[in-house]
Amino acid sequence: MTFEPSAEHAAVREGVARVCARFPGAYWRDLDARRAYPDAFVEALTEAGYLSAMIPEEYGGAGLDLAAAAAILEEIHKSGCNAAACHAQMYTMGTVLRHGDAEQKRTWLPGIAAGTLRLQAFGVTEPTSGTDTLALRTTATRDGASYVVNGQKIWTSRAEHSDLMLLLARTTPRENVETRTDGLSVFLIDLRALVGCGVTIKPIRTMMNHATTEVFFDRARIPASSLIGEEGKGFRYILSGMNAERILIAAECIGDAKWFLDKAAAYAKERVVFGRPIGANQGVQFPLARAFAHMLAAEAIVHRAAAMYDAGLDPGIEANSAKMLAADASWEAAEACVQTFGGFGFAEEYDVERKFRETRLYQVAPISTNLILCYLAERALGLPKSYA
Ligand SMILES: Cc1cc2nc3c(=O)[nH]c(=O)nc-3n(C[C@H](O)[C@H](O)[C@H](O)COP(=O)(O)OP(=O)(O)OC[C@H]3O[C@@H](n4cnc5c(N)ncnc54)[C@H](O)[C@@H]3O)c2cc1C
């Protein structure tokens, strides 16, 4: 069974599928049991050039657009693999490309493109501020040719496996800024120089294998040249990267939905109960057919949002809608798949329960469904803003 909607990016998809075929369910099950990082998978993707897809060719990347990056991530998930180990490299890139200066790009991008440097960590969320990013408390205080960073991030995924980290910190106290969105700044920091020297990383064990962490900053000194763009404008830079992030995560959800539906349909044809395949029963077919239709609709919005992004438009409404609908579609497909498998849906060897746990995340991160609804109510429908 195939759910391929178009031949677009066919070569990219085929190439990614070939890499993913080397990392079957047994590979992921073993890592999941040990909560270990998929080093070999990330290396294979890096070697094949897929993680530098969005880096311009002049820095050694493939110079592809967001639609191609989305195709790569969708294909990874459709193959049963998990891009969570490395997807941040694609969406953090936009901030560096759009707002970094020439020197920063020359310093960092060729290494990232070549795979000798990893930019996988993105430190925004904090324990006390949660979704209210403007309330974050980590500070970066200018001191001569350095900034001194103090505070704590939480859910900083992949920090232990990344050389670099994009950090959002407050450079001007909240009470001293004219515009409420001012006063936060983005830094591209070199974790290698800081771990054990002002930075401590503590893993958080979660219901799925996600390599997420808490990161503590205690008088961590970073060069002033780590600042991306203008001091105090970081919140805007991060926001401008959010559309790309939403679209790429939505593509992963579409990939998950396709994996669940493929897996469930194959099983429903094979599994014989009461003398016939369970898939002959409408009670088994209908939830899968419904999930399929919802996946197709969500996929269309993901493609539309990516096309708008690549055309230089602002797809805020489409990117947020795509993320919510695709996350709903993957969750609906996951639920229908577990039900189709019956008891075997709970057995590790079928991978269904693992993917089920993995795809649940997308209702919460990188943005929760409620906050997307808040955004759409305000921006698309003109309703009063419901969050400060
Ligand atoms: C596995 C994992 C990996 C992550 N990786 C990263 C990462 O790499 N970098 C990073 O910076 N962050 C990361 N995050 C953080 C993630 O983006 C946040 O968890 C998410 O944005 C929600 O924030 P929160 O957990 O603080 O929830 P809260 O803000 O505490 O919200 C809790 C619940 O309340 C709801 N809620 C809050 N305010 C409102 C409101 N006004 N209206 C309606 N509902 C509301 C939310 O929708 C949510 O369901 C990760 C999280 C997880 C779990």
Side-chain angles (χ1 to χ4, degrees):
M1 178 178 293
T2 172
F3 298 108
E4 232 29 278
S6 78
E8 207 185 344
H9 300 123
V12 169
R13 286 174 186 275
E14 277 166 30
V16 174
R18 266 198 305 278
V19 173
C20 290
R22 290 159 43 201
F23 300 92
Y27 172 78
W28 296 98
R29 283 198 293 280
D30 171 56
L31 294 173
D32 189 65
R34 295 187 287 118
R35 290 295 190 270
Y37 187 75
D39 275 309
F41 174 68
V42 174
E43 266 161 39
L45 279 181
T46 307
E47 253 171 50
Y50 293 117
L51 291 190
S52 57
M54 296 190 74
I55 299 179
E57 284 170 291
E58 62 178 302
Y59 299 110
L64 298 176
D65 58 15
L66 188 77
I72 291 168
L73 295 180
E74 181 195 318
E75 198 60 43
I76 290 171
H77 281 248
K78 183 174 159 232
S79 305
C81 300
N82 188 353
C86 50
H87 56 195
Q89 184 135 317
M90 290 188 179
Y91 55 74
T92 47
M93 199 51 66
T95 306
V96 181
L97 287 173
R98 272 195 306 272
H99 307 291
D101 62 27
E103 180 59 25
Q104 287 167 330
K105 290 181 196 174
R106 263 197 311 273
T107 304
W108 303 115
L109 294 183
I112 298 171
T116 52
L117 279 177
R118 284 181 183 172
L119 170 53
Q120 300 287 9
F122 184 48
V124 174
T125 310
E126 297 189 1
T128 52
S129 57
T131 311
D132 184 5
T133 305
L134 290 176
L136 67 76
R137 293 182 183 173
T138 296
T139 56
T141 311
R142 185 74 190 242
D143 180 24
S146 313
Y147 282 90
V148 178
V149 184
N150 283 293
Q152 184 195 344
K153 295 290 171 183
I154 193 167
W155 306 119
T156 312
S157 303
R158 304 160 297 272
E160 293 171 295
H161 306 280
S162 189
D163 303 305
L164 308 174
M165 174 184 185
L166 214 58
L167 170 75
L168 188 66
R170 183 159 285 286
T171 38
T172 308
R174 212 172 175 183
E175 53 280 13
N176 295 351
V177 293
E178 276 175 23
T179 312
R180 51 190 287 282
T181 51
D182 282 348
L184 299 178
S185 301
V186 174
F187 299 90
L188 181 60
I189 67 173
D190 190 341
L191 285 172
R192 296 167 302 176
L194 290 169
V195 173
C197 195
V199 168
T200 308
I201 303 175
K202 288 194 181 156
I204 305 176
R205 200 175 158 95
T206 55
M207 69 189 257
M208 68 290 174
N209 183 20
H210 199 88
T212 198
T213 71
E214 287 176 285
V215 181
F216 298 86
F217 295 89
D218 179 14
R219 287 164 290 159
R221 191 168 283 275
I222 57 172
S225 58
S226 315
L227 177 72
I228 298 279
E230 212 181 313
E231 189 183 290
K233 304 292 178 205
F235 184 67
R236 272 166 238 186
Y237 301 160
I238 293 290
L239 270 193
S240 76
M242 294 294 186
N243 286 338
E245 182 190 71
R246 310 263 191 275
I247 294 166
L248 293 172
I249 296 293
E252 292 183 5
C253 293
I254 297 296
D256 274 351
K258 290 179 179 181
W259 184 88
F260 283 117
L261 292 171
D262 260 340
K263 193 94 178 163
Y267 186 77
K269 279 186 265 185
E270 267 170 26
R271 171 74 170 165
V272 174
V273 182
F274 294 112
R276 59 182 189 158
I278 56 168
N281 300 300
Q282 289 183 337
V284 174
Q285 290 179 359
F286 285 6
L288 297 175
R290 188 181 294 275
F292 176 81
H294 289 158
M295 179 279 292
L296 271 191
E299 183 180 48
I301 310 290
V302 177
H303 287 174
R304 177 181 161 132
M308 286 176 72
Y309 183 97
D310 287 331
L313 303 170
D314 174 14
I317 288 172
E318 289 74 11
N320 278 281
S321 300
K323 157 68 178 58
M324 184 182 80
L325 294 172
D328 286 352
S330 76
W331 184 237
E332 185 180 1
E335 171 63 19
C337 184
V338 169
Q339 199 65 21
T340 301
F341 270 73
F344 292 109
F346 297 82
E348 289 181 355
E349 66 174 291
Y350 290 90
D351 295 312
V352 172
E353 60 82 36
R354 173 179 60 81
K355 291 289 278 182
F356 183 85
R357 287 183 276 118
E358 288 172 359
T359 215
R360 181 62 180 84
L361 175 66
Y362 298 123
Q363 294 286 337
V364 171
I367 173 119
S368 75
T369 299
N370 272 5
L371 268 293
I372 290 184
L373 292 170
C374 291
Y375 175 92
L376 293 176
E378 182 203 350
R379 301 295 176 94
L381 303 176
L383 294 171
K385 188 169 182 173
S386 64
Y387 56 107

